[in-house]
Amino acid sequence: MIVKLFIVDDHYMVIEGIRSLLQHEESVIWSGYARNAAICLSELRLNQPDVILMDINLPDKSGIELCKEVLEKYPRIRIIGLSTFNQQSFIKKMLESGALGYILKNATKKEILDALHTVMNGKIYLNNEVSKQLNSKPSLPFIVLTRREKEILELIAEGLTNVEIADRLFLGSTTVDTHRKNLLLKIGAKNSAAMVKLAIEHNLLIINK
């Protein structure tokens, strides 16, 4: 079975690493890559692969959101979540968004090939490590932040105002305010102080003492 493979990951070393692993596999055809969600959607207008290995933590949008969006437009594409995070909440959300598999970035060549051929047959692929985590006790509430949201959250934790954050990141204060409101909604907090507290509890924010 021939698999046309596309990768979405913002780390070029990850993309090249996977491509190098699979370059001599006759059953895998390299279909391209994208380093963010916007480029991915643009590329898919011209070229739809069989399978996408999709990082869940992208610069402009979470892979979980992108997975759902891609499948709404191209339901025949199979998506496998790709991540360093082996957390139950991440795995569940990726599968709920329509992914047929989830592998870690330390996956072996055999695991990647097994994943590709499993999802091509319409089945779900989870290796032993991921399956074990998925069936463990429930983890903390699921929250995924974009890189920009993480930057803004860190500056909020430092006590900076919207204007000060805007100056630091070269953004408009309205844009920062929008991000702050989105962060409050995602984290489920009523104000910035509560948001920072919850972010620390959920390991979204690490304060160096």
Side-chain angles (χ1 to χ4, degrees):
M1 182 184 299
I2 303 298
V3 182
K4 287 177 61 181
L5 177 63
F6 190 89
I7 300 176
V8 184
D9 195 293
D10 62 325
H11 292 96
Y12 194 68
M13 287 181 65
V14 172
I15 296 167
E16 280 301 301
I18 294 173
R19 181 158 62 174
S20 295
L21 275 178
L22 305 178
Q23 64 180 339
H24 299 302
E25 290 297 320
E26 294 181 357
S27 63
V28 180
I29 296 175
W30 180 253
S31 184
Y33 70 91
R35 296 182 67 181
N36 61 45
I39 293 174
C40 172
L41 293 171
S42 177
E43 290 289 329
L44 291 181
R45 292 191 191 103
L46 303 173
N47 174 33
Q48 288 94 55
D50 296 315
V51 180
I52 297 177
L53 287 179
M54 185 177 290
D55 188 5
I56 65 171
N57 189 24
L58 299 168
D60 53 345
K61 182 180 293 189
S62 80
I64 293 158
E65 294 173 280
L66 179 60
C67 176
K68 188 180 296 184
E69 189 173 348
V70 167
L71 292 176
E72 285 174 356
K73 295 179 179 179
Y74 312 102
R76 292 185 180 180
I77 294 176
R78 287 86 162 177
I79 294 176
I80 299 172
L82 177 67
S83 182
T84 56
F85 302 116
N86 187 21
Q87 291 175 284
Q88 185 187 91
S89 55
F90 285 86
I91 301 165
K92 279 186 174 181
K93 284 292 182 180
M94 198 67 187
L95 295 176
E96 287 170 4
S97 293
L100 287 179
Y102 192 101
I103 62 175
L104 302 178
K105 290 187 179 181
N106 63 358
T108 64
K109 177 181 177 179
K110 182 181 183 303
E111 286 175 327
I112 296 172
L113 287 171
D114 286 347
L116 295 179
H117 294 300
T118 298
V119 302
M120 280 296 289
N121 287 317
K123 298 177 182 178
I124 291 176
Y125 178 86
L126 302 171
N127 70 3
N128 291 334
E129 188 178 351
V130 172
S131 293
K132 183 178 178 181
Q133 184 62 31
L134 187 61
N135 294 318
S136 66
K137 292 181 180 179
S139 55
L140 288 170
F142 173 77
I143 302 170
V144 174
L145 303 181
T146 65
R147 295 267 167 80
R148 179 64 79 188
E149 286 172 338
K150 287 179 182 179
E151 287 177 335
I152 290 173
L153 179 59
E154 289 172 0
L155 295 176
I156 289 172
E158 291 179 19
L160 274 64
T161 65
N162 285 351
V163 173
E164 290 170 332
I165 294 172
D167 288 342
R168 181 81 65 90
L169 299 179
F170 305 102
L171 298 172
S173 58
T174 302
T175 300
V176 174
D177 185 56
T178 299
H179 280 300
R180 185 188 288 262
K181 289 174 181 176
N182 287 339
L183 282 165
L184 288 168
L185 286 172
K186 279 190 175 184
I187 296 174
K190 293 182 179 179
N191 54 54
S192 295
M195 176 170 67
V196 170
K197 181 175 181 293
L198 285 169
I200 294 171
E201 290 176 359
H202 292 183
N203 295 318
L204 298 171
L205 185 63
I206 298 174
I207 302 297
N208 296 318
K209 295 182 179 179

